[in-house]
Amino acid sequence: MTGFFVGAYAAAPSLTGWNPSTEGRFLKSVVELEGVAGLEVPFTGALHKDDEAWFLQQLPDKADFVVTTIPGTMARLGSDPCFGLASTSTAGRRAAIDFIRDALKAVGRLNERVGRPAVAALEIHSAPWADGQRASTAALSESLAEISQWEWNGARLALEHCDAFVHGQAPAKGFLALEDEAETVNRVVESTGRPMGIAINWGRSVLEQRRPDAALEHINFLREGDLLGGFVLSGCAGVDTRYGAAWADVHVPPAPAAASDANPTEPALATGLDVLEVASLLTVERMEECLRAAGPGAGNDFRGIKVAAPPHATVEQRVSVISKTLDLARQASGQDLRSGTAP
């Protein structure tokens, strides 16, 4: 494993207001952390919600990237509940395909900025809400077959599994079931000959099934079918936390390695220990078992972390929650934290 892609946007200062100086200091600090392979970059229609041109100038030439379309997908679902690659609405599906085409153009702009094919994967999704009427595997298959034929400039398509629609349970995303996604991806790969994988986000798998073992089961399922295309460590909690409600998809940081390392009654400080979340279901032991099951990751089978920062956090605290999560992830993966290598 060469490092983790960091979804830094989930902890960025720009979530509460745009200040280029503050955002730049945050990004520079994150990419300089030991064990960072690069950034997971959100695509909303641009590669930064406030200023893409500015953002591209902040990127280090030697970093690699994963581009995720989930922020833009969710924003469009807010105004059009039929939007998505799996939509049974012709207009909704076509709008989603056009959105992914725009994401591909953004991949090209990023590659041009760093002077090489630097995007390892582009994450796409099986929206919309799969309540039995708005989404289907047939529609998803049509969309994937079309977009897989495009030239991806070195990036691999990774269908990120989000929480599936479960009857009687309020969804965060409510997209297609993993088994349906896997069957569809297999069918498209067999028919087109173009590679494609499925990415797992620890927190999204767990909040779907309300069980901490769900992510490991999803990883094993995809590994058995040779479909794992990425694995992201992002937590969730079964109780309300300062990050959001129970089972919310809010990128809860992991639990400290020992409960005694943090005091949940104290405000978040820059020490790093108490920016983690003692109520998080993502523990270092669960990180370890999932990373072991997923394997080391190579080529376009990426590994990542994505965590939120505490409310009203300073830049230092935002960097600290990423740094401490990264330390736990590297520990769980067997890396020597002093040398950055596996023993």
Side-chain angles (χ1 to χ4, degrees):
M1 179 186 294
T2 58
F4 292 86
F5 290 89
V6 178
Y9 71 95
S14 56
L15 293 172
T16 57
W18 175 232
N19 183 312
S21 175
T22 301
E23 189 88 348
R25 184 158 55 95
F26 167 76
L27 286 172
K28 183 176 186 297
S29 297
V30 170
V31 297
E32 289 177 349
L33 293 173
E34 187 73 34
V36 173
L39 297 175
E40 181 193 39
V41 180
F43 181 73
T44 59
L47 291 170
H48 192 280
K49 68 183 184 67
D50 294 297
D51 191 335
E52 179 182 296
W54 172 91
F55 174 74
L56 289 174
Q57 292 306 310
Q58 312 307 307
L59 302 182
D61 293 340
K62 295 183 180 180
D64 291 317
F65 304 92
V66 170
V67 174
T68 175
T69 60
I70 192 63
T73 295
M74 297 309 296
R76 283 157 178 77
L77 280 169
S79 58
D80 178 7
C82 292
F83 175 91
L85 295 175
S87 180
T88 55
S89 160
T90 300
R93 193 172 71 82
R94 181 48 53 186
I97 290 173
D98 290 343
F99 173 65
I100 299 303
R101 194 186 304 275
D102 289 341
L104 174 58
K105 294 176 183 177
V107 168
R109 294 194 296 273
L110 196 159
N111 287 342
E112 182 179 4
R113 159 63 185 85
V114 298
R116 60 187 171 84
V119 178
L122 185 135
E123 294 177 286
I124 58 178
H125 305 85
S126 65
W129 197 29
D131 60 355
Q133 298 178 342
R134 279 179 278 196
S136 74
T137 57
L140 179 62
S141 182
E142 284 190 54
S143 297
L144 296 184
E146 178 175 344
I147 65 179
S148 68
Q149 295 303 306
W150 300 345
E151 173 53 54
W152 285 95
N153 300 319
R156 185 187 188 193
L157 289 178
L159 183 69
E160 184 193 17
H161 177 67
C162 297
D163 65 292
F165 180 84
V166 177
H167 287 285
Q169 180 174 295
K173 304 291 190 291
F175 297 164
L176 291 175
L178 180 63
E179 295 77 9
D180 291 334
E181 292 173 336
E183 180 182 353
T184 302
V185 168
N186 263 326
R187 184 165 59 247
V188 171
V189 170
E190 289 174 2
S191 67
T192 66
R194 299 294 297 271
M196 187 182 309
I198 297 178
I200 293 298
N201 176 300
W202 193 94
R204 287 170 177 161
S205 289
V206 170
L207 70 88
E208 170 191 310
Q209 298 194 22
R210 307 297 201 250
R211 294 184 299 108
D213 292 338
L216 179 61
E217 293 167 4
H218 284 177
I219 290 169
N220 286 333
F221 172 74
L222 294 177
R223 284 277 293 189
E224 289 170 5
D226 196 27
L227 282 175
L228 186 65
F231 174 52
V232 176
L233 291 163
S234 186
C236 68
V239 297
D240 293 355
T241 68
R242 54 187 163 166
Y243 297 93
W247 303 119
D249 186 5
V250 289
H251 316 302
V252 176
S260 59
D261 286 343
N263 182 351
T265 66
E266 294 291 333
L269 303 175
T271 62
L273 293 175
D274 47 358
V275 295
L276 300 181
E277 177 51 60
V278 293
S280 177
L281 294 172
L282 181 58
T283 62
V284 69
E285 293 80 12
R286 288 170 178 151
M287 286 184 178
E288 183 176 358
E289 65 181 5
C290 286
L291 287 168
R292 186 186 309 116
N300 293 316
D301 179 12
F302 66 91
R303 303 289 175 263
I305 66 168
K306 180 157 55 182
V307 291
H312 315 297
T314 65
V315 170
E316 290 73 21
Q317 290 162 350
R318 293 174 188 279
V319 175
S320 182
V321 69
I322 293 171
S323 175
K324 292 299 176 182
T325 301
L326 191 60
D327 284 349
L328 291 178
R330 294 175 64 212
Q331 175 187 334
S333 66
Q335 290 187 27
D336 184 330
L337 299 188
R338 294 164 299 178
S339 67
T341 61

